[in-house]
Each structure stands twice: as C-alpha cells, then as structure tokens.
Amino acid sequence: MKKYLFSAIVAIFCLSASCVHAQKEELFNGQDLSNWNFVVEGDAVPAEQVYSVQDGVILIKGQPFGYMYTKKKYSNYTLELEWSWVNEASNSGIFLLIEEAKNPFPNGIECQLHAGDAGDFVLLGGSDLQEYKQEGQERPKFPVIKKREASSEKPAGEWNKAKIIVKDGVITVYINGVLQNVGTNKVKEGYIGLQSEGKEVQFRNVTVTL
C-alpha cells in the first residue's frame, strides 16, 4: 500500500512540475508592438506606416514588403495566433526559426498564409528542411513544400487560427485544427516573424507556450 501511495505522490509531483514548467508568453499585449523589431524592404518608409495596432489587433499593411520579428529567439515552443484578411484574401506568412534578420528576406522557414495555401512551407534565404527534395532539379529561389490537405482556411473577414509546434527543429503546423505540414530543420532556435506582403492583414492572440 505504501508503495502505491508513494508512486501516486511521485506522479502528482511530476505532473505539477510539468504544469509549472509550461509558461505562456504573450508576444502581442493588445496595446503596442514593444516585443517586436521591424524590417521594411529598402527602408522605403518608416516601420510605423506598415505595422501598427488598431482596435486591439496588429494591422500589417502588406505594402511595402517586409516583416516584423520578435526581439528574442525561441526554441521548443507552441505558437498560437489568429489572422484575418481586412478587405479581401491576400498574402502573408509566419516566419519561424529565423537565424538572422535580413532585408528583405530572413534566413528561416515561412509557414505560408497566402489565401488557399495556408500551411505550405517556403524555404527563405537558403534555409532548408529535410523533407524538401530537389530530385536533380536546380534549387528555386523560394523552394516550397506543399501542405498535406485541402485548404482548411476561412473566407476573408473571418478569423483563422494557426497552431505551430516547434520541437528540436521539427515544425508541425495546424490550420484551424487541421494538420497541414511537418518539416524537420537542423536549426532549432530562432526569431518568430509576421510578414507584410500583399494587402492588409490582422493578427491577434499571438502567444508562445514554452
């Protein structure tokens, strides 16, 4: 009896410790973009003309091209966020495992949000995933690994949810609860970014659980 009681206590302790260990961090506080740095292609305009907060959500204009990225690097996390097209479906992306912030493209993996293609992987700046196969062809500038399922996106004006798990370099992407892609990267730590490309897009509830 004492043996079983001891085992139960150990199990409860381990469960409690794991719960304490899991920490949720808000990358966007609903008020400002103090947790982010910014890139605008060619420094064409001030960053605040492209990235702003309106009505408690992040608004990204889409033009000029660029991206905003976290001030620190992350590894082994679950990223959750919501996005919505303002007027019409367009193009954007979530950048993961950015090694170095460059203008206009970083070295990292893009989880594509382009309408109809949300969940595709795009390999930016020479980055790579084990699942990408060239098959003797010349490597394109932006290699793509297509998503697994038909589009699970909602129409313009509605909020979509992305859940992205990064564990030891393995990236697992869910779009609105549907498993869309898995990629294996040698890089295990990097910045997280949100892209400006196309037309206006909104983001909210941007969190990482460590």
Side-chain angles (χ1 to χ4, degrees):
M1 181 66 181
K2 290 182 179 179
K3 179 180 179 181
Y4 292 123
L5 180 60
F6 176 78
S7 298
I9 292 172
V10 170
I12 292 171
F13 175 81
C14 292
L15 179 61
S16 300
S18 65
C19 292
V20 170
H21 179 71
Q23 298 178 348
K24 179 171 284 189
E25 181 178 331
E26 291 185 348
L27 298 183
F28 171 55
N29 60 19
Q31 300 177 354
D32 57 47
L33 300 177
S34 55
N35 291 329
W36 302 81
N37 292 320
F38 309 96
V39 171
V40 176
E41 185 174 18
D43 298 319
V45 299
E48 56 266 26
Q49 292 185 20
V50 182
Y51 314 97
S52 63
V53 177
Q54 294 189 16
D55 299 323
V57 301
I58 299 171
L59 176 65
I60 298 180
K61 289 292 188 178
Q63 294 294 333
F65 177 86
Y67 57 98
M68 50 188 282
Y69 64 98
T70 53
K71 289 186 174 180
K72 66 179 183 179
K73 292 184 176 182
Y74 292 89
S75 63
N76 295 341
Y77 60 86
T78 298
L79 170 68
E80 295 181 271
L81 60 78
E82 296 175 274
W83 85 95
S84 174
W85 308 114
V86 176
N87 295 309
E88 59 182 290
S90 186
N91 195 5
S92 186
I94 303 167
F95 293 169
L96 306 160
L97 298 175
I98 297 173
E99 295 183 81
E100 184 179 356
K102 300 179 180 180
N103 191 328
F105 291 101
N107 181 302
I109 306 300
E110 176 184 356
C111 172
Q112 180 69 269
L113 296 184
H114 178 270
D117 297 317
D120 286 2
F121 286 135
V122 183
L123 312 185
L124 304 174
S127 62
D128 206 2
L129 290 175
Q130 180 178 306
E131 290 73 12
Y132 177 67
K133 308 298 182 184
Q134 292 184 248
E135 299 179 352
Q137 300 178 359
E138 183 179 352
R139 180 184 172 101
K141 185 175 181 179
F142 300 107
V144 174
I145 301 175
K146 295 297 294 181
K147 57 188 173 61
R148 297 183 173 193
E149 306 293 339
S151 173
S152 53
E153 303 160 52
K154 297 180 181 179
E158 296 186 26
W159 287 97
N160 294 277
K161 183 173 183 179
K163 179 178 180 180
I164 302 174
I165 302 168
V166 178
K167 178 67 173 177
D168 296 329
V170 178
I171 305 169
T172 306
V173 175
Y174 295 86
I175 302 295
N176 293 321
V178 177
L179 174 62
Q180 287 290 10
N181 226 332
V182 177
T184 308
N185 197 340
K186 293 181 179 179
V187 178
K188 299 181 180 181
E189 180 182 64
Y191 302 108
I192 297 168
L194 303 176
Q195 187 184 35
S196 173
E197 182 183 14
K199 298 183 179 180
E200 289 186 330
V201 61
Q202 296 174 318
F203 291 92
R204 70 181 185 184
N205 298 328
V206 186
T207 65
V208 288
T209 301
L210 306 173

